Amino acid sequence: MAQRQAMPEDSETHSLRPGAGTIGAPGARIAVAATEPVGEALPGEPLHGGELLGRYFILHELGRGGMGVVYAAYDPELDRKIALKLLHPGRSREGVGQARLLREAQALARLAHPNVVHVYDAGTAGDRVFVAMELAEGESLDTWLETQERPWRQILTVFQAAGRGLAAAHAAGLLHRDFKPGNVLLGQDGRVRVLDFGIARPTGGEDTPEPAAPAAEAGRAGWLTTPLTRAGVVVGTPRYMAPEALRGGRLDARADQYSFCVALHEALYGFPPYEGNELLDLLEQTAHGRIREPPAGSRVPAWVRRILLRGLATDPQQRYPSMDALLADLGRDRSAALRRRGAGGALLVLLAAGAFAFYEAGQRQARLCTGGGEKLAGVWDAGRKAAIRRAFLASGRPYAADAWKGVEKSLDAYTRSWASLRTEACEATRVRREQSPELLDLRMQCLDRRLRDVRALTDLFAAGGAGLVEKAVQASHGLPGLDECADATALTAPLRPPTAPAARRALDAVETQVAKARTLWTTGRYGEGLPVAAAAVEAASKLGYPPAEAEALRVRAMLEESSSRYEAAEKTLFQALAAAARGRDDALAAHAWIDLVWMSGFRLRKYEEGKRWAQLAEASLARLGGSTAYPEMEADLQSNLGSILDEAGDHAGGLALEQQALALYEKTLGADHPAVGRTLNRIGNAWYNLKRYPEALGVYRQSLEQARRSLGPRHPTVAVRLGNLALILDLLGRFDESLALQLEALGIEEQALGANHPRISITHGNLAALLLTMERPAEALEHARRGLAIAEADPDAAPEDLGASLINVADSLYHLERYKEALDATERAYALLLKSVGANHPWAAQALSTRGQILRAQGHPALAITVFHQSLAAYQAAGETSTEVGWTRFSLARALWDVGRRQEAFALAREARRQTSVTRQRNLRQIDAWLAGKR
């Protein structure tokens, strides 16, 4: 089998913007592997991750109850994660449970409403009944209500959304019959959904009375919160049931209305409308309509209570005619209308008395604190924008127009924030008198430094250059953050900058050099940036102002890291920390510690050191106010530490940290920021390492869409993410889709970078591997040789990448029965891999496996057996358990059969079959056919 590689994300193998405090980010380089052995689920047994139920991949259990279990699953046909509700086998055999679950699916399938959970499919697999539905993450309404006290308006808004879901069900001719807070989900996407229509039935079924509550159980405490069951059919939760339901009467949509009002009363006032914990109490009080009074001091207005009392009427005829009518009344906020009328009169008096004074004050503030826009002249104004746009379009890059749009959007937002902060700083001192002149000066100096970075970047953009355009959007997002310019503690902690005119000019010159070096780093011009940074470090040390020296050292470390000089970068970062300590610059120290987490822990693979630096980074960040004050820095720290854990083998721990970082990035920076796309990629890598390919597929797809949205559809980063997505589709057995994406990626790269760009070697190699899996060896050889030629022409190509390319060539030649050429290619590949990654690397094991297959095909089974054993030993030493290992075992089994060791051959072939992923159906068929033919 050919060797596949994930493509490194060129624009994201370096770092976050400087102000974010991380030096690097891992690319998406993932080696090929396959799922652990999986098979069809056995009836009645619990399901585990990786098993199949019908066409669905089981991911993990979400919850269980009396009727069944709910799993997170993946639907490969529709390419999405779902919730799979599975009835217990005993319930299925009863028949009643099966009918109930299928009725739930049929009921919900008729609904298409944002406030109702969506059902996709229902059916049976063996004796298991399942319903496939929307997987919505969030918390139940009862949990949401319990976690903290909520304002009545907020509660009402959530219930109105749930009520719209009920109204939609009624419009579709369905009753819910068990509405309660536990059956409402507040999704992380902000939507409110009504769940569990498991006892839904047509609203036209009034002729069938409800089963009454069992008399023998009527006095038992706890019935009010426990779903009632009769003859295996759940009929509701008594606390929320309408009186006619409790007594087994005929029901219509007004029964759900009653349940809705009970739940809303409980949420608003903190207790249900009726007292008591026993069913007999409930029956008596609902019969007489004895509804409890609101608690003293309740803020819930009287008009809301009047609506609830009508909805809680014992006689259904006295309730609202429909949920729509009830919701319409709830939507008329009488108290807000009264406030508007009262406030309107008071406001007129106030305006009449003070209009002139307000006008004069506003004019005075405007005169004192204007000028922010003037500072942007020549830096980011109409003329500079036009020049940069022309330079981008002149590059001829197919994604140049998209890059310009991304840069314009990013810099517009940054400079707006910059100007706003400048005005706010001025007004805080000169107008509101709440800030000292000294602090104003420090804030203005900080903002001036940020403006230097903008100028350095736009100067470089205006100069143009094809290579610059590829990294332009990322560079515009790479400007240092503005948070520190508003943080009085961070600004006043360091040593004060020099005030003498000559020293001030020297400091300005250093800061200009630092800004230029940082810009050369963000735009990928590392060779140019290193001498500029070195000059800035030297000038800062002569100046004797440690904070400036620390910043210059940190930028030099960024450039060293991006030039693969990891040990030098680590040393420079420690120097930056020392300078930050001398200068009492806590913010810079926190940034440098976060950088060291990445540099020592990930780049240099010193995992324990990286974890120790993370503790110190956390402490430094806490001194600044923690994640509340600096959420981006907290996200950087979590993401860097997550990468270390994932690389060290704690994939679940790494995944959890990356997911936390993603939430912070999305909240703070927005969905289109490069940090979001990079973190999605890291999360995809973690799912991949956990062999949770459906989850990896979903996250890689999100990462792809993020790149298309923020960079444009023809940017090289889009090709990288297409390649990663294609690799997962390959592992899931979706070969045609994978091939289409790989070819799309190749087209983007050839157009954007040129047909001979080193990066394209990996794309050709992945195409070769995939085409071999699809049994198209002639096409595979064409791509394998093209990839090898590009790699051989690249003076900076890593030996292991050349080795991987040679394995692809060898495998292709082997399948074309050109054994001598194939054997020569494996010899070259193994020699390169032995020197670069060592004998116990999966790629070295793969080269040996290919060599063994060639030797067996040439009629040398004894030699092949020796080589296969070497390959398996290398796989074992590398901790590899993938499908490639299974195929090597099967190849060894055939060689053993050839020399007469048939019992061993049978046992090994059966073991190989167990190790082969269900997505590799061709491999399984070959193994099965061989076993069948040798019996």
Side-chain angles (χ1 to χ4, degrees):
M1 291 186 154
Q3 179 60 53
R4 299 178 182 86
Q5 298 168 268
M7 297 178 286
E9 285 206 45
D10 182 66
S11 62
E12 295 184 30
T13 53
H14 304 300
S15 39
L16 288 172
R17 64 198 177 292
T22 186
I23 284 190
R29 189 180 188 84
I30 49 178
V32 147
T35 53
E36 291 295 327
V38 292
E40 290 285 348
L42 296 176
E45 293 183 356
L47 302 184
H48 304 285
E51 291 186 286
L52 289 171
L53 184 80
R55 75 169 189 258
Y56 303 108
F57 282 86
I58 300 298
L59 301 177
H60 54 85
E61 184 178 315
L62 292 174
R64 58 178 57 234
M67 291 296 291
V69 188
V70 181
Y71 295 95
Y74 170 71
D75 182 352
E77 188 172 301
L78 299 179
D79 188 20
R80 61 183 166 198
K81 288 177 68 174
I82 61 166
L84 198 67
K85 187 170 185 177
L86 190 63
L87 199 66
H88 288 319
R91 296 288 190 182
S92 298
R93 287 189 289 271
E94 289 172 13
V96 175
Q98 177 169 328
R100 176 208 157 192
L101 198 60
L102 291 175
R103 184 172 69 232
E104 173 184 352
Q106 292 160 1
L108 285 177
R110 289 151 56 185
L111 292 179
H113 191 274
N115 298 121
V116 178
V117 70
H118 188 61
V119 160
Y120 306 126
D121 185 23
T124 58
D127 67 347
R128 313 299 296 269
V129 182
F130 67 85
V131 176
M133 63 185 75
E134 176 185 10
L135 178 60
E137 297 183 0
E139 61 182 345
S140 64
L141 177 53
D142 52 3
T143 301
W144 181 79
L145 290 166
E146 289 169 2
T147 52
Q148 68 182 76
E149 188 174 346
R150 308 282 180 179
W152 71 267
R153 291 181 186 280
Q154 189 178 11
I155 292 171
L156 195 60
T157 298
V158 171
F159 269 84
Q160 285 172 309
R164 288 192 289 271
L166 277 181
H170 297 162
L174 299 169
L175 297 185
H176 188 288
R177 300 201 312 152
D178 193 25
F179 181 86
K180 57 186 177 182
N183 282 339
V184 178
L185 179 79
L186 278 68
Q188 292 179 358
D189 58 3
R191 277 203 287 138
V192 177
R193 298 170 176 84
V194 182
L195 311 174
D196 204 355
F197 281 71
I199 55 176
R201 68 166 49 171
T203 57
E206 293 89 350
D207 292 336
T208 304
E210 280 300 291
E217 304 287 352
R220 181 184 298 174
W223 269 98
L224 297 187
T225 56
T226 303
L228 276 178
T229 301
R230 184 172 183 269
V233 181
V234 178
V235 296
T237 305
R239 173 187 286 182
Y240 302 97
M241 286 169 64
E244 60 270 28
L246 286 170
R247 291 169 173 77
R250 297 186 179 91
L251 302 186
D252 60 18
R254 288 169 294 190
D256 282 348
Q257 180 189 144
Y258 184 95
S259 302
F260 176 87
C261 289
V262 173
L264 180 53
H265 185 288
E266 189 176 44
L268 290 172
Y269 299 117
F271 50 75
Y274 299 104
E275 291 183 354
N277 291 320
E278 297 186 357
L279 187 59
L280 287 176
D281 295 334
L282 186 62
L283 289 166
E284 179 184 357
Q285 292 183 56
T286 56
H288 295 92
R290 295 172 183 165
I291 298 175
R292 301 161 76 178
E293 292 297 320
S298 172
R299 294 177 177 271
V300 181
W303 64 265
V304 174
R305 178 168 170 78
R306 287 195 294 272
I307 293 171
L308 289 175
L309 290 176
R310 182 175 176 184
L312 291 168
T314 301
D315 182 358
Q317 297 296 326
Q318 295 178 14
R319 299 172 200 154
Y320 284 92
S322 67
M323 277 299 302
D324 287 323
L326 184 149
L327 292 170
D329 247 11
L330 282 176
R332 300 187 184 99
D333 189 338
R334 281 83 164 173
S335 56
L338 287 172
R339 284 197 307 275
R340 286 194 295 270
R341 287 197 292 270
L347 183 60
L348 286 174
V349 175
L350 182 62
L351 288 175
F356 184 74
F358 279 121
Y359 174 77
E360 282 297 308
Q363 292 299 305
R364 183 169 65 254
Q365 291 176 14
R367 286 193 298 271
L368 286 171
C369 295
T370 56
E374 296 173 5
K375 291 279 187 179
L376 294 171
V379 178
W380 186 246
D381 56 11
R384 177 52 63 100
K385 288 183 180 182
I388 294 172
R389 182 177 182 275
R390 285 194 301 270
F392 276 31
L393 297 179
S395 71
R397 296 300 197 198
Y399 49 87
D402 291 319
W404 160 245
K405 290 176 185 176
V407 165
E408 183 182 34
K409 180 180 177 181
S410 175
L411 290 185
D412 276 349
Y414 189 89
T415 52
R416 275 197 305 269
S417 296
W418 179 90
S420 176
L421 277 175
R422 191 178 189 280
T423 300
E424 193 278 329
C426 172
E427 291 179 352
T429 297
R430 295 181 178 175
V431 179
R432 299 192 301 272
R433 310 293 182 186
E434 62 189 24
Q435 175 181 275
S436 68
E438 181 188 22
L439 182 55
L440 172 62
D441 188 46
L442 291 172
R443 292 183 70 179
M444 289 301 186
Q445 290 175 28
C446 178
L447 290 167
D448 286 345
R449 289 195 295 273
R450 298 298 183 260
L451 191 60
R452 286 192 186 93
D453 280 282
V454 178
R455 180 183 291 278
L457 185 62
T458 57
D459 283 349
L460 202 59
F461 282 165
L468 185 71
V469 178
E470 181 182 345
K471 297 179 181 295
V473 175
Q474 294 92 327
S476 67
H477 284 289
L479 290 165
L482 296 167
D483 291 347
E484 290 168 31
C485 297
D487 187 338
T489 303
L491 289 170
T492 56
L495 294 175
R496 296 296 184 268
T499 55
R504 184 69 232 178
R505 286 193 298 272
L507 178 58
D508 288 346
V510 169
E511 289 174 346
T512 299
Q513 283 181 304
V514 170
K516 182 179 180 181
R518 181 164 29 229
T519 298
L520 290 167
W521 171 71
T522 59
T523 53
R525 297 164 72 162
Y526 313 128
E528 295 176 56
L530 275 169
V532 176
V537 169
E538 183 178 359
S541 65
K542 290 178 180 177
L543 178 64
Y545 181 55
E549 184 181 358
E551 182 65 21
L553 284 163
R554 182 167 175 262
V555 172
R556 188 175 79 182
M558 296 171 183
L559 288 155
E560 288 169 338
E561 186 266 346
S562 296
S563 303
S564 300
R565 295 168 56 182
Y566 303 142
E567 291 181 354
E570 183 185 47
K571 180 181 178 181
T572 301
L573 282 171
F574 280 116
Q575 293 172 348
L577 278 167
R582 292 197 306 273
R584 301 200 298 270
D585 195 328
D586 291 338
L588 229 164
H591 283 308
W593 279 122
I594 294 171
D595 294 346
L596 270 169
V597 172
W598 172 257
M599 184 55 51
S600 301
F602 188 87
R603 283 301 192 195
L604 293 173
R605 303 296 190 267
K606 295 188 286 191
Y607 304 132
E608 294 308 314
E609 280 190 28
K611 294 174 188 177
R612 285 197 295 273
W613 304 157
Q615 292 177 332
L616 293 170
E618 191 68 50
S620 292
L621 190 55
R623 285 173 59 88
L624 297 169
S627 60
T628 302
Y630 290 94
E632 295 170 47
M633 287 176 67
E634 177 67 28
D636 296 334
L637 175 56
Q638 290 179 350
S639 186
N640 286 355
L641 183 57
S643 294
I644 293 173
L645 295 180
D646 187 43
E647 182 72 13
D650 182 6
H651 308 308
L655 174 65
L657 287 174
E658 296 288 6
Q659 288 173 327
Q660 292 173 30
L662 178 65
L664 282 171
Y665 284 137
E666 288 180 329
K667 181 178 179 181
T668 308
L669 304 175
D672 291 341
H673 196 280
V676 171
R678 188 204 65 252
T679 308
L680 283 168
N681 221 54
R682 291 183 177 185
I683 290 171
N685 293 351
W687 282 124
Y688 171 89
N689 290 330
L690 286 165
K691 300 188 186 300
R692 299 276 289 273
Y693 302 130
E695 284 95 337
L697 180 70
V699 177
Y700 280 143
R701 195 178 295 283
Q702 285 180 267
S703 179
L704 170 63
E705 292 310 313
Q706 194 269 353
R708 282 174 168 158
R709 190 172 59 247
S710 60
L711 301 173
R714 294 181 291 177
H715 194 278
T717 295
V718 172
V720 172
R721 297 186 183 175
L722 281 166
N724 287 339
L725 190 60
L727 288 176
I728 300 299
L729 288 168
D730 178 357
L731 291 169
L732 290 171
R734 294 162 60 176
F735 304 126
D736 290 333
E737 294 173 72
S738 179
L739 180 61
L741 293 185
Q742 290 281 23
L743 291 172
E744 183 183 352
L746 180 63
I748 291 172
E749 288 181 321
E750 288 184 335
Q751 187 181 27
L753 305 172
N756 296 317
H757 193 281
R759 188 188 305 174
I760 299 178
S761 171
I762 294 175
T763 310
H764 281 295
N766 286 340
L767 275 165
L770 177 60
L771 287 163
L772 277 178
T773 301
M774 300 174 73
E775 299 179 354
R776 293 159 65 173
E779 296 169 74
L781 179 60
E782 182 180 344
H783 283 287
R785 282 184 162 164
R786 182 66 189 136
L788 176 62
I790 293 171
E792 288 178 329
D794 177 18
D796 298 320
E800 60 267 29
D801 289 339
L802 286 170
S805 297
L806 281 162
I807 293 174
N808 289 330
V809 171
D811 271 337
S812 301
L813 289 166
Y814 163 71
H815 282 84
L816 290 168
E817 300 182 3
R818 294 164 61 174
Y819 300 133
K820 185 179 183 307
E821 297 170 78
L823 196 60
D824 290 343
T826 61
E827 296 293 345
R828 286 183 59 201
Y830 189 69
L832 284 166
L833 293 166
L834 205 59
K835 291 180 180 178
S836 57
V837 295
N840 294 329
H841 189 278
W843 294 1
Q846 180 65 57
L848 288 170
S849 180
T850 301
R851 182 193 298 175
Q853 293 174 56
I854 297 166
L855 290 169
R856 178 178 174 270
Q858 288 180 317
H860 307 297
L863 286 175
I865 288 169
T866 300
V867 175
F868 285 136
H869 279 301
Q870 291 174 337
S871 174
L872 289 170
Y875 275 132
Q876 184 177 9
E880 189 71 17
T881 58
S882 64
T883 287
E884 278 68 21
V885 182
W887 189 254
T888 302
R889 283 202 170 94
F890 176 56
S891 301
L892 174 58
R894 290 187 294 182
L896 289 169
W897 181 274
D898 292 342
V899 297
R901 296 162 62 179
R902 300 188 173 187
Q903 188 173 358
E904 292 177 68
F906 263 118
L908 203 57
R910 284 193 290 268
E911 183 180 352
R913 194 195 189 286
R914 285 193 297 272
Q915 193 164 13
T916 301
S917 166
V918 294
T919 63
R920 290 294 187 261
Q921 289 296 317
R922 290 186 178 90
N923 293 10
L924 290 172
R925 284 197 297 271
Q926 288 184 53
I927 297 172
D928 288 342
W930 187 87
L931 286 167
K934 298 294 186 290
R935 293 186 187 281

